[in-house]
Amino acid sequence: MEKTERSCTLLVHFDKGSPAMANEIKEALEGNDVTLKIDALKKAIKLLLNGENLPQLFITIVRYVLPSEDHTIQKLLLLYLEIISKTDANGRVLPEMILICQNLRNNLQHPNEYIRGVTLRFLCRISEQEILEPLMPSVLTCVNHRHPFVRRNALLAISAISRLPHGDHLLPDAAELVEKVLETEPDASARRNAFVMLCNCAQDRAVAFLLSRAEQVSGWSGLLQMAVLDLIRKVCRSNPALKGRYMNIIISLLSSPNSEVVYECAGTLVSLSSAPTAVRAAANTYCQLLASQSDNNVRLIILDRLDELCVAHRAVLVEVVMDVVRVLSTPNLDIRRKVISIVLELLTPRNVEEVVLFLKKEVLKTQTPAAAGGEDLEKSGEYRLILVQAIHTCTMKFPEVASSVAYALMDFLGDSDVKSGANVINFIREIIETNPKLRASIIQRLTDTFYQIHHPIICTRALWLLGEYSLSLSEVQSALETIKQCLGDLPLFTITEESEIANVQTQPEATAASSIAVSTRKPVILADGTYATQTAATETALLKPLVSPVSLSTTVHLRSLILSGDFFVAAVLANTLTKLVLRLEEVQPSKTEVNKATTGALLIMVSLLQLGTSSVLAKQMDGSSYDKIVLCIKLLCNTGGDEVRKLLLKSCHESFAVYLAEKQARENEEIKAKSQDSYAQPDDLIDFYHLKSRKGMSQLEIEDEVQDDLKRATGDFTNDNDDASKLNRILQLTGFSDPVYAEAYVTVHQYDIVLDVTIINRTKDTLQNLCLELATMGDLKLVDRPQNYTLAPESSKQIKANIKVSSTETGIIFGNIVYDTSNGIDRTVVVLNDIHIDIMDYLSPASCPDFAFRNMWAEFEWENKVAVNTTITDEKEYLEHIAKSTNMKCLTTPSQLEGDCGYLAANLYAKSIFGEDALVNLSVEKQVDGKLSGYIRIRSKTQGIALSLGDKITIKQKGSS
């Protein structure tokens, strides 16, 4: 294990199924063929990396490979020298390592720049003092070499050697030397390496160099400017009081022609200052980068930064909302979604009209063909859906702008994209309730466009709107005439004597003139024993226009839906006609007109029942639709009762109002949940900045002081991750009786898992080469392996390990602590407890519309079905327990869960940090013995979520413990 876990910069996979024998490699290395030497050296390196020990090759390589002048062999030789063990068990350098020092010295004095450069880069990874010490004069000579490749690598080597524990002994005046080089070096990369060396090894010199040339920073190269920003962040993080000295430098770099520098500069500015001027400058910089960058990945990263600014500095970001919304011109849908989500968070009464107008223009563009500058047909439907949802959100927050977009959006009710049409009708349904001033104009517009609707979902909701919100006499009459016109001639099908059918068949032209088409014909036997032919028409007869001229092709949609066997549309149609007739009784003084409308409505309903109970269509009317139509007929015949009349005219509207109120309440709760409550301690210090001396302070520093005082007063500086909360996330890795005690604090931050491991030496001996060895199971990847440490008796050490997460799946981290005792003979291994990464750390409650939930439920292919097995006896309590245990949000409204019928069905939804959706449907029933039974169905796009969430529910569903 010691051999394979050493730190190395080269990681190469090698299949050890048929490894080359050491003697074969040795023979190839001793030969004169350069190609065979290269192949043999590569095989030796791969074997060493995979844990093999080949000590017999070292002398062969020294004799036959070191003298080679081939550049490839020299590069591989340096890799070989990097990975071999250079010390014995006691940490002393092996005697044979002295043999390579002369070769390295020759390489450092080689006339070829490449040989010098790669050798200097190799020295960056050597830590043994005995090897480095004789090479120092040659390294220092390379600093003044004529070629920049050699100089920049020499500076890297000096930087790496200076950071070693014995670096001061090897290079006592390294900082002074590098500072002189920095002043005269013309190469940009070499200057950057020199400056980074000063930042790491002599930060005071780097700061003095920077401040003495503050006015020249804007003219430096981009590499050096990036290093300057890193230094500023490092200095200000350790001493925040000094950030005012560097603000002018940061602001000057905002005008750099280098996009990378500008981006880092904006991030640095925001991290150091919360003053409105600084945030405004950073936001403007991000917006300029959005406009100038063409790479979609770069734009998404910039939008993420703007989203972060929006959370903490919304008032400032409001000023650039139009700059952000213009990025919608990008054809990428992911960018458009991100832009719209940011814009919706920045809406105010002052900018909402301008934003909605821009979104309206974008909606109209989706109707334009791509050849004319519009959207591609494949993307236009989805983009239109996103825009309609955004406009819907805008109008819900600011109803006064609804009038400017409602009429334009209603043109999409007959759109081929059902999702867009459904969103529009939902939008109209909420607007007409929340904005009563627009009711009359919306009803008029809906009446004019009703003939365009051809989808059953949109048609039923439009019928409900006509029946619910047509209040005046003209509106009711117009709605009735429109419905009759779109329905066509009655009856919907006819029964004709066989002799009459024969006459019709001899006159096809006359038949065609009076009707459009006949869908099906079949012989039937009448009650008196005679034969007849039963016919069902799929298209309407020619009609005379009643309200407005309507072409033949626009009168078939409602009739076609009913003749296709969709009897739910028929039931909604009967319900709408009943509401209109009952409301006509209230607003129409003429009894004759009321009776005429009642007769027409009854005729339509009877025709619907006749069609549904006949054998013309493949399927007959379902019982629910039949009962609803019969109830409407009874009500119009004055036999339904006042309760049913009240139910139709009042209760439906009241239920819809309650639904909207609950929806608004849930949205308000989400807004409150997003806003983080902060608390200030009673004894916290509050500085009164008005009483402070402002002498020598810039406007930016003054604003920053104000913001800091406001944050202290409101408690924003309170650390949420205090010691008390950390105690709940500490995991014990070893036992109290083990010689080494270890515990870990696990932090899950989006794509990273950070393990903060505390190791305590409980023995009286010094532990050498102590190493924390970790391995992972699942979609987890260890980023870097912790180095070896020496632990004094009864001392402790903090070790951090970073792990990358690639999917929402339960993972396991396991490993050992390995160390040597002071005698250097025994190697001790302490096995650690496994760390289980909970899937709940990746999921967060989220909400989505009902239609979106249904669409995802139909699309997702991975399903996990979990049987209900719990000691909880109350359905609602069980639902709350599952929602809390899975960190999901219940989408079913409280009003839908009211009552105690022994059944409960609810939908839950959550979203992972990777953007994955988790859907759960819970269906339970209370048995006679009081226990709950049923199933929990989980659906997701990936297998990991479905399986891991199912396992979590199986463990947690037993009870509240």
Side-chain angles (χ1 to χ4, degrees):
M1 182 63 71
E2 181 185 2
K3 299 295 183 184
T4 59
E5 299 299 324
R6 280 196 310 274
S7 174
C8 179
T9 58
L10 177 67
L11 295 176
V12 181
H13 171 72
F14 182 61
D15 187 5
K16 296 172 58 178
S18 57
M21 299 301 293
N23 56 353
E24 296 177 1
I25 297 177
K26 183 177 180 180
E27 291 178 2
L29 293 175
E30 292 175 351
N32 296 324
D33 193 330
V34 175
T35 304
L36 293 179
K37 280 188 176 184
I38 292 174
D39 292 340
L41 204 52
K42 287 181 178 179
K43 291 178 181 178
I45 292 173
K46 291 177 180 178
L47 287 172
L48 289 170
L49 287 175
N50 283 272
E52 297 292 332
N53 193 7
L54 304 173
Q56 65 273 27
L57 292 181
F58 181 77
I59 300 300
T60 302
I61 290 175
V62 170
R63 291 181 60 190
Y64 296 99
V65 179
L66 279 181
S68 176
E69 294 290 337
D70 186 80
H71 289 184
T72 304
I73 291 180
Q74 287 296 325
K75 180 67 175 178
L76 292 173
L77 175 62
L78 294 176
L79 293 176
Y80 169 80
L81 295 176
E82 179 185 346
I83 62 177
I84 62 173
S85 178
K86 304 173 188 64
T87 58
D88 56 17
N90 296 323
R92 292 189 294 268
V93 176
L94 296 172
E96 55 266 29
M97 287 298 110
I98 305 300
L99 297 174
I100 69 172
C101 290
Q102 183 60 40
N103 177 264
L104 294 176
R105 185 185 299 110
N106 294 337
N107 285 350
L108 292 175
Q109 298 173 358
H110 200 282
N112 185 276
E113 296 85 1
Y114 176 78
I115 298 296
R116 285 200 185 199
V118 296
T119 306
L120 288 167
R121 184 63 66 91
F122 164 73
L123 294 181
C124 296
R125 297 181 284 272
I126 300 298
S127 59
E128 289 76 16
Q129 180 179 357
E130 292 82 354
I131 298 176
L132 292 173
E133 190 168 7
L135 304 177
M136 287 300 98
S138 300
V139 172
L140 296 177
T141 304
C142 292
V143 173
N144 299 318
H145 194 272
R146 59 179 177 80
H147 201 283
F149 178 73
V150 178
R151 296 198 302 271
R152 68 177 70 133
N153 283 287
L155 290 168
L156 285 177
I158 291 175
S159 177
I161 295 171
S162 300
R163 291 197 299 268
L164 295 176
H166 44 268
D168 293 339
H169 173 71
L170 294 173
L171 292 171
D173 56 348
E176 183 179 354
L177 171 65
V178 172
E179 186 175 7
K180 292 180 180 179
V181 172
L182 183 58
E183 294 177 355
T184 59
E185 176 60 50
D187 183 66
S189 297
R191 293 195 74 191
R192 179 259 177 197
N193 293 344
F195 188 79
V196 170
M197 184 272 172
L198 290 180
C199 294
N200 295 330
C201 304
Q203 191 176 100
D204 294 340
R205 288 179 179 268
V207 170
F209 177 83
L210 174 61
L211 295 179
S212 64
R213 294 164 177 79
E215 297 179 356
Q216 305 173 11
V217 174
S218 58
W220 291 352
S221 65
L223 292 174
L224 191 54
Q225 289 175 345
M226 296 283 283
V228 167
L229 292 174
D230 290 337
L231 174 63
I232 292 175
R233 284 194 293 265
K234 186 185 297 184
V235 172
C236 295
R237 193 179 297 118
S238 59
N239 191 355
L242 299 177
K243 60 185 177 182
R245 303 167 59 184
Y246 303 100
M247 284 300 173
N248 291 334
I249 298 176
I250 299 174
I251 293 175
S252 66
L253 290 179
L254 287 175
S255 58
S256 173
N258 193 310
S259 300
E260 293 84 358
V261 174
V262 173
Y263 172 79
E264 289 294 332
C265 187
T268 303
L269 190 61
V270 174
S271 64
L272 298 183
S273 174
S274 58
T277 303
V279 177
R280 190 177 295 109
N284 290 329
T285 301
Y286 286 140
C287 291
Q288 292 172 6
L289 290 174
L290 280 175
S292 61
Q293 298 299 310
S294 58
D295 191 296
N296 290 335
N297 293 322
V298 174
R299 288 185 170 184
L300 285 172
I301 292 173
I302 297 172
L303 288 172
D304 287 338
R305 302 291 83 76
L306 283 173
D307 196 12
E308 294 172 1
L309 284 181
C310 181
V311 175
H313 309 281
R314 180 180 180 275
V316 180
L317 265 293
V318 166
E319 302 174 7
V320 298
V321 63
M322 292 311 300
D323 294 328
V324 177
V325 79
R326 291 188 184 95
V327 186
L328 289 175
S329 58
T330 304
N332 186 276
L333 283 177
D334 293 329
I335 293 178
R336 285 172 165 173
R337 289 192 188 95
K338 192 68 177 178
V339 168
I340 288 179
S341 67
I342 294 174
V343 170
L344 293 180
E345 295 294 329
L346 300 176
L347 289 177
T348 63
R350 300 180 63 180
N351 62 26
V352 64
E353 291 186 5
E354 194 173 2
V355 171
V356 169
L357 181 61
F358 191 94
L359 296 178
K360 178 182 175 182
K361 291 179 180 179
E362 289 293 312
V363 172
L364 297 178
K365 284 182 182 179
T366 59
Q367 292 181 304
T368 308
E375 295 284 328
D376 293 338
L377 292 177
E378 297 180 358
K379 298 180 179 179
S380 61
E382 189 172 357
Y383 181 40
R384 188 186 307 126
L385 176 63
I386 296 173
L387 291 172
V388 171
Q389 292 174 346
I391 294 175
H392 188 179
T393 304
C394 294
T395 53
M396 288 296 100
K397 292 182 177 180
F398 304 95
E400 61 273 10
V401 299
S403 59
S404 61
V405 292
Y407 311 129
L409 290 181
M410 292 180 71
D411 293 334
F412 294 96
L413 290 177
D415 190 36
S416 58
D417 186 7
V418 179
K419 294 181 180 179
S420 298
N423 270 276
V424 171
I425 197 66
N426 290 339
F427 162 70
I428 297 300
R429 187 177 60 176
E430 294 187 19
I431 287 298
I432 201 172
E433 172 63 26
T434 58
N435 205 333
K437 295 181 180 179
L438 300 178
R439 184 198 57 79
S441 56
I442 289 178
I443 288 297
Q444 179 62 39
R445 181 67 173 169
L446 182 61
T447 304
D448 296 339
T449 57
F450 183 78
Y451 66 90
Q452 300 176 355
I453 301 174
H454 56 82
H455 195 272
I457 294 178
I458 305 174
C459 183
T460 52
R461 296 176 186 178
L463 286 171
W464 183 84
L465 287 175
L466 290 176
E468 196 66 45
Y469 292 98
S470 297
L471 303 180
S472 65
L473 177 60
S474 60
E475 292 170 354
V476 173
Q477 290 177 339
S478 178
L480 286 170
E481 295 296 339
T482 299
I483 292 174
K484 291 179 181 179
Q485 193 174 10
C486 293
L487 190 62
D489 283 345
L490 297 177
L492 298 175
F493 73 99
T494 58
I495 299 178
T496 312
E497 293 293 333
E498 185 175 358
S499 58
E500 295 180 3
I501 293 297
N503 294 333
V504 172
Q505 291 175 347
T506 59
Q507 299 176 349
E509 296 181 358
T511 304
S514 59
S515 62
I516 299 174
V518 175
S519 62
T520 56
R521 292 182 179 181
K522 55 186 289 188
V524 296
I525 301 177
L526 301 180
D528 57 356
T530 59
Y531 288 92
T533 299
Q534 192 176 48
T535 304
T538 58
E539 297 184 0
T540 65
L542 294 175
L543 294 173
K544 295 181 181 180
L546 298 175
V547 180
S548 59
V550 180
S551 64
L552 178 63
S553 60
T554 62
T555 62
V556 299
H557 292 317
L558 181 58
R559 188 184 186 98
S560 299
L561 290 175
I562 296 175
L563 291 177
S564 66
D566 195 334
F567 293 110
F568 179 70
V569 176
V572 175
L573 173 61
N575 187 281
T576 301
L577 290 173
T578 304
K579 287 183 181 180
L580 292 173
V581 171
L582 293 178
R583 192 160 285 118
L584 186 64
E585 295 178 359
E586 299 176 354
V587 297
Q588 174 61 267
S590 174
K591 296 296 182 182
T592 304
E593 294 295 331
V594 173
N595 293 335
K596 182 178 178 181
T598 304
T599 304
L602 288 173
L603 179 60
I604 293 175
M605 296 179 197
V606 171
S607 299
L608 294 175
L609 290 177
Q610 187 180 13
L611 175 66
T613 55
S614 67
S615 58
V616 176
L617 302 181
K619 65 175 182 178
Q620 292 190 340
M621 182 179 294
D622 57 282
S624 176
S625 300
Y626 182 88
D627 293 339
K628 289 179 181 177
I629 296 176
V630 170
L631 180 63
C632 292
I633 292 176
K634 290 181 179 180
L635 189 60
L636 292 182
C637 295
N638 296 323
T639 58
D642 294 335
E643 293 184 358
V644 180
R645 179 188 294 264
K646 180 181 178 182
L647 178 67
L648 287 177
L649 295 182
K650 294 183 179 181
S651 299
C652 290
H653 184 271
E654 293 174 355
S655 299
F656 182 62
V658 171
Y659 164 76
L660 289 183
E662 290 181 350
K663 181 180 178 182
Q664 186 64 37
R666 286 198 296 173
E667 292 177 355
N668 294 336
E669 290 178 0
E670 292 177 3
I671 295 175
K672 291 181 180 179
K674 288 181 180 179
S675 61
Q676 300 177 353
D677 296 331
S678 54
Y679 303 95
Q681 298 298 325
D683 56 349
D684 282 353
L685 176 66
I686 299 179
D687 294 328
F688 294 92
Y689 70 95
H690 291 288
L691 304 179
K692 288 183 177 180
S693 174
R694 301 185 182 182
K695 186 177 181 180
M697 296 178 64
S698 64
Q699 181 63 28
L700 188 61
E701 293 178 80
I702 296 174
E703 291 182 9
D704 213 22
E705 289 286 342
V706 175
Q707 294 296 322
D708 290 349
D709 289 341
L710 288 175
K711 287 185 177 181
R712 289 191 185 93
T714 56
D716 281 356
F717 283 163
T718 303
N719 189 8
D720 295 334
N721 299 323
D722 55 5
D723 295 336
S725 62
K726 285 185 178 181
L727 291 175
N728 299 326
R729 300 186 64 85
I730 291 178
L731 302 176
Q732 183 177 342
L733 301 181
T734 62
F736 292 110
S737 60
D738 289 324
V740 174
Y741 175 77
E743 61 184 19
Y745 174 67
V746 183
T747 304
V748 179
H749 180 67
Q750 293 190 350
Y751 305 103
D752 298 323
I753 297 176
V754 180
L755 297 182
D756 192 353
V757 183
T758 302
I759 298 178
I760 302 175
N761 181 7
R762 303 179 67 245
T763 66
K764 301 294 184 180
D765 300 326
T766 299
L767 306 183
Q768 297 178 353
N769 297 325
L770 185 143
C771 181
L772 175 65
E773 299 174 347
L774 296 176
T776 59
M777 181 181 295
D779 286 339
L780 304 177
K781 181 181 179 182
L782 191 63
V783 177
D784 52 2
R785 301 185 184 277
Q787 63 184 17
N788 293 352
Y789 299 95
T790 299
L791 207 57
E794 299 182 352
S795 62
S796 62
K797 185 69 179 177
Q798 298 286 127
I799 301 177
K800 286 192 176 182
N802 295 321
I803 296 172
K804 287 289 183 183
V805 184
S806 56
S807 70
T808 308
E809 185 177 342
T810 300
I812 300 175
I813 304 172
F814 54 93
N816 320 310
I817 294 178
V818 184
Y819 60 89
D820 295 329
T821 55
S822 57
N823 55 23
I825 300 175
D826 299 331
R827 185 88 171 152
T828 306
V829 178
V830 179
V831 181
L832 304 179
N833 291 333
D834 295 344
I835 301 175
H836 294 264
I837 304 301
D838 197 349
I839 187 179
M840 296 301 103
D841 293 326
Y842 308 138
L843 293 180
S844 59
S847 59
C848 69
D850 292 339
F851 69 89
F853 186 93
R854 289 192 293 269
N855 292 336
M856 288 188 290
W857 188 269
E859 293 173 2
F860 291 170
E861 56 183 1
W862 290 104
E863 177 174 322
N864 190 4
K865 193 174 182 181
V866 180
V868 174
N869 181 16
T870 180
T871 57
I872 301 175
T873 58
D874 183 73
E875 307 97 310
K876 295 179 182 178
E877 182 183 351
Y878 181 69
L879 172 62
E880 293 174 357
H881 173 65
I882 292 297
K884 182 179 179 181
S885 302
T886 57
N887 203 21
M888 304 187 76
K889 180 176 182 179
C890 180
L891 300 181
T892 308
T893 60
S895 60
Q896 295 173 315
L897 299 175
E898 290 180 355
D900 188 12
C901 60
Y903 297 90
L904 187 145
N907 294 329
L908 293 89
Y909 178 71
K911 208 172 185 66
S912 74
I913 59 176
F914 305 98
E916 300 164 323
D917 302 289
L919 313 179
V920 170
N921 174 262
L922 184 145
S923 301
V924 294
E925 175 188 3
K926 181 174 285 190
Q927 300 295 328
V928 179
D929 56 0
K931 295 183 178 180
L932 298 181
S933 64
Y935 291 95
I936 300 174
R937 298 169 63 194
I938 308 161
R939 285 197 181 184
S940 65
K941 204 170 186 178
T942 58
Q943 184 183 19
I945 292 182
L947 296 179
S948 301
L949 199 55
D951 295 340
K952 185 72 175 180
I953 292 176
T954 302
I955 296 173
K956 292 288 186 179
Q957 71 168 326
K958 288 291 185 180
S960 57
S961 58

